[in-house]
Amino acid sequence: MHGEQTSQLQPGIKVIHVDKKFGKVSVLKDITMEVKANEIFGLLGPSGSGKTTLVKLIAGMAEPSNGEVYVSGVRMPNLNMLNNIGYMAQSDALYSELTALENLAFFAALVGLNGAVRKQRIEEVTQLVNLANFLKRPIATYSGGMKRRLSLAIALLHRPEILILDEPTVGIDPVLRKSIWDELRNLSQSGTTILLTTHVMDEAEKCTRLGMIRDGRLIAVGAPDELKQSAGSQSLEDAFLVYGGVRK
């Protein structure tokens, strides 16, 4: 039953024999994986491989056709878990007629941040993504990269226990990308469990562990160096091809 909890609260994320179908189309096929507490776990795969569908199931935005998803020991989807999860979608869910500050204030209120705490967190996250000088501008005037940065700031507002990021640094310049990755490492070290999707190999190298996904199937899981060594490859790109059966 949805909302049921395991007998003991378990940190991290567990996905158990999950399938997802849309009509007759099978998008995810028997996915089983675990994201450990406080690690940065990357889902690596090309567009259309099923990464976004999988993170939506984990975030509680959809239900699996078969199998089970647990976040911190709670079976998903579960409305009570919303305040424990920070989610950044691949497409920016922003109100374009509002300013950046108004967007931040709205989403902060949704997760229960008010008064001085809300003001402080808005300042902190907008400094992190380098948007502090653009808060009074309407979102309609923002570039694509600025919208991505604001979406990340919103996901970080309430210091979530679980942070789920779908292609978080697409369209973000290299200097800012480095500062964001520095912050992700800080968050991980301070207790946040991070799951992110990427198709960029140098970002995948920065993850604690990776799940390689292709055609809706999880083809390999491990630390980047372990995956390369096991595949006998010098690069993650070559390793991905080996695990996918494209290259021997």
Side-chain angles (χ1 to χ4, degrees):
M1 186 174 72
H2 286 172
E4 86 182 58
Q5 196 160 324
T6 54
S7 57
Q8 183 177 1
L9 195 66
Q10 300 171 355
I13 297 164
K14 286 190 176 180
V15 178
I16 305 167
H17 296 300
V18 160
D19 300 323
K20 182 62 178 177
K21 294 181 180 179
F22 294 102
K24 293 183 178 179
V25 179
S26 185
V27 179
L28 295 175
K29 303 155 192 171
D30 196 25
I31 302 282
T32 294
M33 64 177 227
E34 181 176 0
V35 180
K36 298 172 184 175
N38 307 354
E39 75 174 339
I40 302 176
F41 188 98
L43 282 173
L44 174 66
S47 297
S49 59
K51 304 188 303 293
T52 293
T53 300
L54 181 54
V55 296
K56 282 184 175 178
L57 295 179
I58 293 168
M61 299 178 67
E63 290 189 68
S65 302
N66 293 298
E68 300 170 352
V69 176
Y70 292 92
V71 174
S72 300
V74 177
R75 188 168 176 179
M76 301 298 286
N78 186 303
L79 285 174
N80 295 329
M81 288 298 293
L82 289 181
N83 280 2
N84 298 69
I85 297 172
Y87 176 68
M88 178 184 175
Q90 201 174 88
S91 56
D92 302 297
L94 303 168
Y95 293 98
S96 59
E97 70 275 14
L98 301 181
T99 66
L101 184 58
E102 287 167 338
N103 270 274
L104 285 157
F106 172 76
F107 286 106
L110 281 184
V111 293
L113 293 179
N114 293 294
V117 173
R118 178 168 73 185
K119 185 173 184 290
Q120 180 185 352
R121 283 303 293 154
I122 287 175
E123 287 177 359
E124 289 171 351
V125 296
T126 52
Q127 288 285 349
L128 168 66
V129 300
N130 198 23
L131 284 177
N133 295 328
F134 306 97
L135 292 182
K136 294 183 179 179
R137 284 174 52 176
I139 298 305
T141 69
Y142 268 33
S143 67
M146 291 172 79
K147 289 176 182 176
R148 296 303 288 153
R149 286 148 56 189
L150 182 59
S151 293
L152 179 59
I154 288 168
L156 293 171
L157 267 172
H158 60 303
R159 291 193 179 95
E161 176 187 334
I162 307 282
L163 186 59
I164 300 172
L165 308 172
D166 197 0
E167 302 275 6
T169 59
V170 169
I172 293 177
D173 70 78
V175 174
L176 188 56
R177 185 184 301 173
K178 182 184 182 303
S179 72
I180 287 170
W181 267 97
D182 288 344
E183 179 63 13
L184 292 180
R185 289 191 195 93
N186 290 337
L187 287 168
S188 172
Q189 289 166 9
S190 64
T192 302
T193 301
I194 300 171
L195 171 66
L196 61 88
T197 72
T198 186
H199 61 264
V200 181
M201 296 298 165
D202 70 323
E203 289 207 333
E205 293 273 9
K206 296 179 173 71
C207 296
T208 316
R209 287 192 308 136
L210 287 172
M212 292 182 170
I213 189 166
R214 183 172 181 264
D215 296 330
R217 295 187 184 279
L218 199 62
I219 57 173
V221 177
D225 286 344
E226 292 171 353
L227 290 170
K228 286 185 287 186
Q229 184 175 3
S230 181
S233 303
Q234 295 296 312
S235 70
L236 278 177
E237 189 169 9
D238 283 343
F240 187 91
L241 295 172
V242 170
Y243 289 115
V246 178
R247 185 176 296 174
K248 293 182 180 180

